[in-house]
Amino acid sequence: MSKVVYDKRGPVAYIRLNRPEVKNAIDVETHELLRDIWADFAADDSLRVAVLTGTGDAFCAGADLKTHVPTWSNGGPMLARNKLPDGFAGGITRGQHRIYKPIVAALNGWVLGGGLELALACDIRIASEKAQFGSFELRRGMHPADGGIVRLVNTVGVGIALEMELTGEPIDARRALQANLVSRVVPHDQLESATDDLVARILRNDQKAMESAKETIFEVIGRPLDDQLKLEALLGYALCGDNPAISERSAQFFDKSDPGRAGTHEVALRTEIA
């Protein structure tokens, strides 16, 4: 049985962590499998979006410490330098994080430790009502080192990040929604259909424009306002001057035939993923 299920269905890559007996904790082998999967997803031009989820009642319980701790025990101060290009969960947290295709996390249950880091490294998070979120590393004498603190602060703010880190207590899906940790919370049995609907809304957009928008968001984080505005203008107008799809897509807009249009000239959203 594969520890990660990787399934390509048309333009969508479905990635499912498949170690339910350990709440989909990521051991060293799973880390390496994910590295190859992320690299393949990035390189395959037929794939436009990825959906990441877990088997059973957990999304991911983080690092499988039985396999990771022994590799750290004699690392000494050089461990940090050696880990810098490596990241976690195949490097999507750091190292392969510059994949500009959209990545959706369908959070089906426990999202803990490195699993929270992995979820935060995804672009959009949709949660089952059963999902629970926590950062328990401080209980083990550690704190997040693969983007868990950086992305948590950027996503929910300092106050909630401090509470989650310093107490080591989980928050439920509803509080995660209030904190902007997730975009939506849905009944558990509707998670798959809600994710499919979200993917359909992503796929109606132009791929080149989506990737440029994601790159722009990454580039402006933490910069002074004038630098942010400059980067947005440079990347946005570069896209406008170099994307042949604009003419065709603008014509659809003028003709009121673009998919997913609401109002008087409603057009159905094409939800087929084949």
Side-chain angles (χ1 to χ4, degrees):
M1 181 178 69
S2 176
K3 293 181 177 181
V4 185
V5 178
Y6 183 37
D7 183 22
K8 300 179 182 182
R9 301 180 217 163
V12 185
Y14 290 90
I15 305 165
R16 179 165 50 85
L17 304 177
N18 194 36
R19 302 186 72 212
E21 71 281 3
V22 289
K23 307 295 185 187
N24 299 318
I26 294 175
D27 62 5
V28 173
E29 182 184 359
T30 304
H31 172 68
E32 296 299 333
L33 288 170
L34 285 167
R35 184 190 307 283
D36 293 340
I37 288 169
W38 293 125
D40 182 83
F41 170 63
D44 190 337
D45 291 338
S46 71
L47 296 174
R48 298 185 56 201
V49 59
V51 174
L52 177 65
T53 193
T55 300
D57 64 354
F59 170 71
C60 177
D64 188 334
L65 297 181
K66 290 181 180 178
T67 65
H68 286 281
V69 169
T71 70
W72 303 338
S73 58
N74 297 314
M78 287 302 295
L79 176 63
R81 288 186 179 274
N82 293 336
K83 287 293 293 180
L84 273 178
D86 189 38
F88 179 65
I92 197 63
T93 62
R94 187 184 60 256
Q96 295 205 76
H97 63 285
R98 289 284 184 171
I99 296 174
Y100 295 127
K101 297 177 183 179
I103 302 172
V104 176
L107 305 171
N108 54 299
W110 290 101
V111 185
L112 303 176
L116 181 58
E117 292 183 299
L118 175 55
L120 286 165
C122 298
D123 302 313
I124 302 175
R125 290 166 293 282
I126 181 169
S128 156
E129 61 191 353
K130 295 183 178 181
Q132 296 275 336
F133 302 80
S135 185
F136 297 171
E137 290 91 334
L138 272 70
R139 299 188 192 180
R140 320 291 179 233
M142 302 173 279
H143 68 65
D146 290 299
I149 288 178
V150 171
R151 292 189 175 96
L152 190 62
V153 170
N154 287 343
T155 302
V156 306
V158 172
I160 294 175
L162 282 169
E163 178 187 341
M164 291 182 68
E165 292 297 328
L166 300 184
T167 67
E169 291 294 331
I171 63 174
D172 63 18
R174 291 296 170 187
R175 183 139 190 248
L177 180 63
Q178 293 170 352
N180 295 321
L181 184 56
V182 299
S183 299
R184 290 184 63 193
V185 175
V186 299
H188 186 73
D189 61 359
Q190 295 178 24
L191 180 60
E192 183 176 351
S193 61
T195 302
D196 286 344
D197 181 73
L198 176 62
V199 168
R201 295 177 190 280
I202 292 171
L203 289 174
R204 70 177 168 180
N205 295 320
D206 177 69
Q207 188 71 17
K208 195 170 184 178
M210 285 196 299
E211 293 185 20
S212 181
K214 181 174 174 178
E215 180 184 7
T216 302
I217 290 169
F218 278 17
E219 290 295 335
V220 303
I221 293 172
R223 295 180 184 267
L225 176 60
D226 284 354
D227 291 348
Q228 290 178 327
L229 293 170
K230 183 184 295 184
L231 279 165
E232 181 184 11
L234 287 172
L235 293 170
Y237 282 107
L239 177 70
C240 288
D242 189 41
N243 189 0
I246 291 176
S247 295
E248 178 184 349
R249 285 177 169 270
S250 295
Q252 288 181 332
F253 172 70
F254 300 145
D255 295 340
K256 300 180 175 57
S257 62
D258 46 315
R261 176 183 284 269
T264 305
H265 304 282
E266 182 176 345
V267 178
L269 178 68
R270 301 180 190 126
T271 59
E272 299 85 359
I273 299 172

Short mmCIF file of all heavy atoms in Angstrom, two decimals, residues 84 93-94 97 113 116-121 125 135 137 143-158 160-162 165 181 218 221-222:
data_model
loop_
_atom_site.label_atom_id
_atom_site.label_comp_id
_atom_site.label_asym_id
_atom_site.label_seq_id
_atom_site.Cartn_x
_atom_site.Cartn_y
_atom_site.Cartn_z
N LEU A 84 17.94 23.62 5.62
CA LEU A 84 17.40 24.81 4.97
C LEU A 84 16.82 24.53 3.58
O LEU A 84 15.72 25.00 3.27
CB LEU A 84 18.48 25.90 4.88
CG LEU A 84 18.59 26.83 6.08
CD1 LEU A 84 19.72 27.83 5.88
CD2 LEU A 84 17.28 27.56 6.34
N THR A 93 6.84 23.13 2.08
CA THR A 93 6.89 24.19 3.09
C THR A 93 8.08 25.12 2.87
O THR A 93 8.06 26.27 3.26
CB THR A 93 6.98 23.60 4.51
OG1 THR A 93 8.19 22.85 4.62
CG2 THR A 93 5.78 22.72 4.81
N ARG A 94 9.16 24.58 2.29
CA ARG A 94 10.36 25.36 2.02
C ARG A 94 11.24 24.57 1.05
O ARG A 94 11.57 23.42 1.33
CB ARG A 94 11.16 25.64 3.30
CG ARG A 94 12.33 26.60 3.14
CD ARG A 94 13.14 26.77 4.42
NE ARG A 94 13.69 25.50 4.89
CZ ARG A 94 13.22 24.81 5.91
NH1 ARG A 94 12.17 25.25 6.59
NH2 ARG A 94 13.77 23.65 6.27
N HIS A 97 8.39 25.50 -2.40
CA HIS A 97 7.23 26.34 -2.11
C HIS A 97 6.93 27.32 -3.23
O HIS A 97 5.87 27.95 -3.22
CB HIS A 97 7.43 27.09 -0.80
CG HIS A 97 8.59 28.04 -0.81
ND1 HIS A 97 9.89 27.62 -0.74
CD2 HIS A 97 8.63 29.39 -0.90
CE1 HIS A 97 10.69 28.67 -0.78
NE2 HIS A 97 9.96 29.76 -0.89
N GLY A 113 0.73 19.90 14.22
CA GLY A 113 2.17 20.02 14.08
C GLY A 113 2.59 20.29 12.66
O GLY A 113 2.18 21.26 12.02
N LEU A 116 -0.10 21.00 10.28
CA LEU A 116 -0.54 22.39 10.19
C LEU A 116 0.40 23.18 9.29
O LEU A 116 -0.05 24.01 8.49
CB LEU A 116 -0.58 23.00 11.60
CG LEU A 116 -1.03 24.46 11.70
CD1 LEU A 116 -2.43 24.65 11.11
CD2 LEU A 116 -0.99 24.94 13.15
N GLU A 117 1.70 22.91 9.40
CA GLU A 117 2.65 23.56 8.49
C GLU A 117 2.34 23.22 7.04
O GLU A 117 2.40 24.10 6.16
CB GLU A 117 4.08 23.14 8.84
CG GLU A 117 4.55 23.65 10.19
CD GLU A 117 5.99 23.29 10.48
OE1 GLU A 117 6.30 22.08 10.55
OE2 GLU A 117 6.80 24.21 10.64
N LEU A 118 2.01 21.96 6.79
CA LEU A 118 1.67 21.53 5.44
C LEU A 118 0.40 22.21 4.95
O LEU A 118 0.35 22.70 3.81
CB LEU A 118 1.51 20.01 5.43
CG LEU A 118 1.04 19.35 4.13
CD1 LEU A 118 1.93 19.73 2.97
CD2 LEU A 118 0.97 17.84 4.31
N ALA A 119 -0.63 22.26 5.78
CA ALA A 119 -1.87 22.93 5.39
C ALA A 119 -1.64 24.41 5.10
O ALA A 119 -2.18 24.96 4.13
CB ALA A 119 -2.93 22.76 6.48
N LEU A 120 -0.84 25.06 5.93
CA LEU A 120 -0.56 26.48 5.74
C LEU A 120 0.23 26.74 4.47
O LEU A 120 0.17 27.84 3.90
CB LEU A 120 0.20 27.03 6.95
CG LEU A 120 -0.63 27.24 8.22
CD1 LEU A 120 0.28 27.44 9.43
CD2 LEU A 120 -1.56 28.43 8.06
N ALA A 121 1.00 25.74 4.01
CA ALA A 121 1.77 25.89 2.77
C ALA A 121 0.89 25.78 1.54
O ALA A 121 1.33 26.11 0.43
CB ALA A 121 2.88 24.86 2.71
N ARG A 125 -7.59 26.60 1.99
CA ARG A 125 -7.89 25.51 2.92
C ARG A 125 -9.40 25.46 3.15
O ARG A 125 -10.00 26.46 3.54
CB ARG A 125 -7.16 25.74 4.25
CG ARG A 125 -5.65 25.54 4.13
CD ARG A 125 -4.90 26.07 5.33
NE ARG A 125 -4.97 27.54 5.43
CZ ARG A 125 -4.24 28.37 4.70
NH1 ARG A 125 -3.37 27.90 3.82
NH2 ARG A 125 -4.36 29.67 4.85
N SER A 135 -0.78 23.04 17.24
CA SER A 135 0.67 23.04 17.13
C SER A 135 1.22 22.57 18.47
O SER A 135 1.28 23.34 19.42
CB SER A 135 1.18 24.45 16.78
OG SER A 135 2.56 24.44 16.56
N GLU A 137 4.24 21.10 19.10
CA GLU A 137 5.68 20.85 19.15
C GLU A 137 6.32 21.26 20.47
O GLU A 137 7.28 20.62 20.92
CB GLU A 137 6.39 21.59 18.00
CG GLU A 137 6.12 21.03 16.61
CD GLU A 137 4.93 21.68 15.92
OE1 GLU A 137 4.03 22.19 16.62
OE2 GLU A 137 4.91 21.68 14.69
N HIS A 143 9.82 23.75 18.56
CA HIS A 143 8.76 24.59 18.00
C HIS A 143 8.84 24.49 16.49
O HIS A 143 9.83 23.98 15.94
CB HIS A 143 8.84 26.04 18.51
CG HIS A 143 10.01 26.83 18.04
ND1 HIS A 143 10.22 27.18 16.72
CD2 HIS A 143 11.03 27.38 18.72
CE1 HIS A 143 11.30 27.90 16.61
NE2 HIS A 143 11.84 28.02 17.81
N PRO A 144 7.82 24.91 15.76
CA PRO A 144 7.82 24.76 14.31
C PRO A 144 9.05 25.39 13.67
O PRO A 144 9.51 26.46 14.08
CB PRO A 144 6.54 25.48 13.87
CG PRO A 144 5.64 25.38 15.05
CD PRO A 144 6.54 25.49 16.24
N ALA A 145 9.57 24.72 12.64
CA ALA A 145 10.76 25.20 11.95
C ALA A 145 10.62 25.17 10.44
O ALA A 145 11.55 25.53 9.73
CB ALA A 145 11.97 24.36 12.37
N ASP A 146 9.45 24.72 9.96
CA ASP A 146 9.25 24.59 8.51
C ASP A 146 8.08 25.45 8.04
O ASP A 146 7.21 25.01 7.29
CB ASP A 146 9.03 23.12 8.15
CG ASP A 146 10.30 22.30 8.31
OD1 ASP A 146 11.28 22.61 7.61
OD2 ASP A 146 10.33 21.39 9.15
N GLY A 147 8.07 26.69 8.50
CA GLY A 147 7.05 27.64 8.06
C GLY A 147 5.85 27.72 8.96
O GLY A 147 4.96 28.56 8.73
N GLY A 148 5.80 26.90 10.00
CA GLY A 148 4.61 26.88 10.85
C GLY A 148 4.37 28.16 11.60
O GLY A 148 3.23 28.60 11.75
N ILE A 149 5.43 28.79 12.10
CA ILE A 149 5.26 30.06 12.80
C ILE A 149 5.08 31.20 11.80
O ILE A 149 4.17 32.04 11.94
CB ILE A 149 6.46 30.32 13.73
CG1 ILE A 149 6.39 29.36 14.94
CG2 ILE A 149 6.50 31.77 14.19
CD1 ILE A 149 7.53 29.49 15.92
N VAL A 150 5.91 31.23 10.77
CA VAL A 150 5.84 32.32 9.79
C VAL A 150 4.47 32.39 9.14
O VAL A 150 3.81 33.45 9.12
CB VAL A 150 6.92 32.13 8.71
CG1 VAL A 150 6.73 33.13 7.56
CG2 VAL A 150 8.31 32.30 9.31
N ARG A 151 4.00 31.28 8.62
CA ARG A 151 2.73 31.29 7.91
C ARG A 151 1.55 31.44 8.87
O ARG A 151 0.53 32.03 8.50
CB ARG A 151 2.59 30.02 7.06
CG ARG A 151 3.57 29.98 5.88
CD ARG A 151 3.26 28.84 4.93
NE ARG A 151 4.13 28.88 3.76
CZ ARG A 151 5.26 28.18 3.62
NH1 ARG A 151 5.66 27.36 4.59
NH2 ARG A 151 5.99 28.29 2.53
N LEU A 152 1.67 30.92 10.08
CA LEU A 152 0.59 31.08 11.05
C LEU A 152 0.42 32.55 11.41
O LEU A 152 -0.71 33.07 11.44
CB LEU A 152 0.87 30.25 12.31
CG LEU A 152 -0.28 30.13 13.31
CD1 LEU A 152 -1.48 29.42 12.70
CD2 LEU A 152 0.19 29.39 14.57
N VAL A 153 1.52 33.25 11.68
CA VAL A 153 1.45 34.69 11.98
C VAL A 153 0.89 35.45 10.79
O VAL A 153 0.02 36.33 10.94
CB VAL A 153 2.84 35.22 12.38
CG1 VAL A 153 2.83 36.74 12.45
CG2 VAL A 153 3.29 34.63 13.71
N ASN A 154 1.36 35.14 9.58
CA ASN A 154 0.89 35.84 8.39
C ASN A 154 -0.59 35.60 8.12
O ASN A 154 -1.28 36.45 7.56
CB ASN A 154 1.70 35.42 7.16
CG ASN A 154 3.09 35.97 7.14
OD1 ASN A 154 3.41 36.93 7.86
ND2 ASN A 154 3.97 35.39 6.34
N THR A 155 -1.08 34.43 8.54
CA THR A 155 -2.46 34.04 8.22
C THR A 155 -3.45 34.48 9.29
O THR A 155 -4.52 35.02 8.98
CB THR A 155 -2.55 32.51 8.03
OG1 THR A 155 -1.65 32.12 7.00
CG2 THR A 155 -3.96 32.10 7.65
N VAL A 156 -3.13 34.27 10.57
CA VAL A 156 -4.10 34.52 11.63
C VAL A 156 -3.71 35.68 12.54
O VAL A 156 -4.53 36.12 13.37
CB VAL A 156 -4.34 33.26 12.50
CG1 VAL A 156 -4.74 32.09 11.63
CG2 VAL A 156 -3.11 32.90 13.33
N GLY A 157 -2.49 36.19 12.44
CA GLY A 157 -2.05 37.27 13.30
C GLY A 157 -1.31 36.78 14.53
O GLY A 157 -1.34 35.60 14.89
N VAL A 158 -0.67 37.72 15.21
CA VAL A 158 0.20 37.39 16.33
C VAL A 158 -0.57 36.79 17.51
O VAL A 158 -0.13 35.81 18.13
CB VAL A 158 0.99 38.64 16.78
CG1 VAL A 158 1.75 38.37 18.07
CG2 VAL A 158 1.95 39.08 15.68
N ILE A 160 -3.49 35.04 17.96
CA ILE A 160 -3.92 33.64 17.90
C ILE A 160 -2.71 32.73 17.72
O ILE A 160 -2.68 31.62 18.28
CB ILE A 160 -4.96 33.44 16.80
CG1 ILE A 160 -6.24 34.21 17.16
CG2 ILE A 160 -5.27 31.98 16.58
CD1 ILE A 160 -7.29 34.21 16.11
N ALA A 161 -1.71 33.18 16.95
CA ALA A 161 -0.50 32.37 16.80
C ALA A 161 0.17 32.13 18.15
O ALA A 161 0.57 31.01 18.46
CB ALA A 161 0.47 33.06 15.84
N LEU A 162 0.25 33.17 18.97
CA LEU A 162 0.84 32.99 20.30
C LEU A 162 0.02 32.04 21.16
O LEU A 162 0.57 31.19 21.86
CB LEU A 162 0.97 34.35 20.99
CG LEU A 162 2.15 35.23 20.53
CD1 LEU A 162 2.01 36.64 21.08
CD2 LEU A 162 3.48 34.61 20.97
N GLU A 165 0.57 28.43 19.85
CA GLU A 165 1.91 27.91 20.11
C GLU A 165 2.17 27.72 21.60
O GLU A 165 2.68 26.69 22.03
CB GLU A 165 2.95 28.87 19.51
CG GLU A 165 2.98 28.91 18.00
CD GLU A 165 3.35 27.58 17.38
OE1 GLU A 165 4.14 26.82 18.00
OE2 GLU A 165 2.85 27.28 16.28
N LEU A 181 -7.95 30.97 9.33
CA LEU A 181 -7.04 29.86 9.09
C LEU A 181 -7.55 29.00 7.93
O LEU A 181 -6.76 28.38 7.22
CB LEU A 181 -6.89 29.03 10.36
CG LEU A 181 -5.92 27.86 10.37
CD1 LEU A 181 -4.51 28.32 9.99
CD2 LEU A 181 -5.89 27.19 11.75
N PHE A 218 3.09 36.26 -3.22
CA PHE A 218 4.31 35.82 -2.53
C PHE A 218 5.35 36.94 -2.46
O PHE A 218 6.02 37.12 -1.45
CB PHE A 218 4.92 34.61 -3.25
CG PHE A 218 4.28 33.29 -2.90
CD1 PHE A 218 3.03 33.22 -2.30
CD2 PHE A 218 4.92 32.10 -3.20
CE1 PHE A 218 2.44 32.01 -2.00
CE2 PHE A 218 4.34 30.87 -2.90
CZ PHE A 218 3.10 30.83 -2.31
N ILE A 221 4.59 40.12 0.12
CA ILE A 221 4.50 39.89 1.56
C ILE A 221 5.70 40.52 2.27
O ILE A 221 6.85 40.27 1.92
CB ILE A 221 4.44 38.39 1.89
CG1 ILE A 221 3.13 37.78 1.39
CG2 ILE A 221 4.58 38.15 3.39
CD1 ILE A 221 3.08 36.27 1.49
N GLY A 222 5.41 41.37 3.24
CA GLY A 222 6.46 41.92 4.10
C GLY A 222 7.22 43.10 3.54
O GLY A 222 8.11 43.62 4.21
#
